[in-house]
């Protein structure tokens, strides 16, 4: 079975492996590197090696039906869960909002420096009708981001502003 997507997978295992987003094979390898030395017992060790230690993603891909696989692991003193999720674990709205950041332009003469919104997708400031958007106060630029994210929610897409 081939991968259905080229997006990263986020893997975690209790407090031994914090949520980490990696390409699928690297993500499974990271899980295996974390669990292989634990006192698992022969049966659990074999099951975990089959799922995470072979370098193949097909079985985990098949189990990611809803986008998440939770695999319980019984350790001698506690029970923990290996979690594998498609993507970085953020919603589309969170990803859209994270695309933008507010920065202050350098001071020029008496101008204390206006605020612009940078688009991480292109590395440039956002523009509307070929004009860079600028604000006198930071809160106004933050408000623009909030409105842009809400507009993307409403339109079902990532807004309309263009980065230079």
């Amino acid at each position: 079975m081939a991968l259905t997507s080229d997006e990263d997978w986020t893997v975690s295992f209790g407090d031994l492996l914090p949520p980490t987003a990696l390409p699928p094979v690297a993500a499974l390898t990271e899980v295996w590197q974390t669990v292989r030395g634990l006192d698992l017992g022969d049966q659990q060790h074999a099951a975990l090696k089959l799922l995470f230690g072979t370098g193949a993603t097909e079985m985990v891909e098949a189990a990611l039906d809803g986008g998440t696989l939770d695999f319980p692991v019984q350790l001698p003193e506690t029970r923990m869960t290996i979690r594998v999720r498609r993507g970085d674990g953020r919603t589309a709205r969170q990803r859209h909002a994270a695309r933008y950041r507010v920065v202050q332009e350098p001071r020029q003469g008496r101008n204390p420096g206006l605020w612009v919104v940078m688009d991480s997708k292109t590395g440039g400031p956002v523009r509307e009708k070929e004009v860079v958007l600028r604000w006198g106060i930071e809160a106004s630029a933050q408000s623009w981001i909030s409105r842009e994210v809400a507009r993307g929610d409403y339109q079902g897409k990532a807004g309309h502003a263009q980065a230079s």
Side-chain angles (χ1 to χ4, degrees):
M1 178 183 310
L3 291 175
T4 59
S5 169
D6 61 356
E7 69 184 340
D8 286 351
W9 289 357
T10 300
V11 292
S12 63
F13 181 52
D15 55 355
L16 297 177
L17 177 62
T20 306
L22 297 166
V25 172
L28 299 185
T29 300
E30 187 72 20
V31 170
W32 177 242
Q33 294 300 322
T34 302
V35 302
R36 74 182 192 164
L38 299 175
D39 184 12
L40 300 168
D42 293 340
Q43 191 172 10
Q44 272 192 132
H45 187 272
L48 289 170
K49 184 175 184 178
L50 183 64
L51 278 174
F52 304 108
T54 64
T57 61
E58 290 82 5
M59 285 196 295
V60 174
E61 174 76 13
L64 282 172
D65 184 35
T68 302
L69 165 66
D70 285 339
F71 192 89
V73 176
Q74 183 65 49
L75 298 172
E77 308 238 348
T78 188
R79 184 179 177 108
M80 295 170 58
T81 301
I82 296 171
R83 174 166 280 178
V84 181
R85 293 184 312 239
R86 291 184 195 276
D88 57 11
R90 296 185 297 173
T91 65
R93 186 176 217 279
Q94 290 168 327
R95 210 171 289 109
H96 185 197
R99 173 181 169 178
Y100 302 109
R101 68 181 170 85
V102 177
V103 297
Q104 189 172 22
E105 292 181 322
R107 181 184 186 115
Q108 293 180 357
R110 293 178 54 191
N111 179 350
L114 296 175
W115 295 89
V116 296
V117 175
M118 299 298 288
D119 183 345
S120 65
K121 190 172 183 179
T122 64
V126 295
R127 297 175 178 261
E128 287 187 1
K129 299 179 182 174
E130 300 304 316
V131 176
V132 173
L133 300 178
R134 292 181 168 87
W135 293 269
I137 57 175
E138 182 180 12
S140 295
Q142 291 288 356
S143 180
W144 179 89
I145 293 172
S146 296
R147 287 190 311 273
E148 185 67 12
V149 170
R151 183 180 4 257
D153 291 345
Y154 176 73
Q155 295 176 344
K157 58 183 181 181
H160 70 283
Q162 302 296 314
S164 61

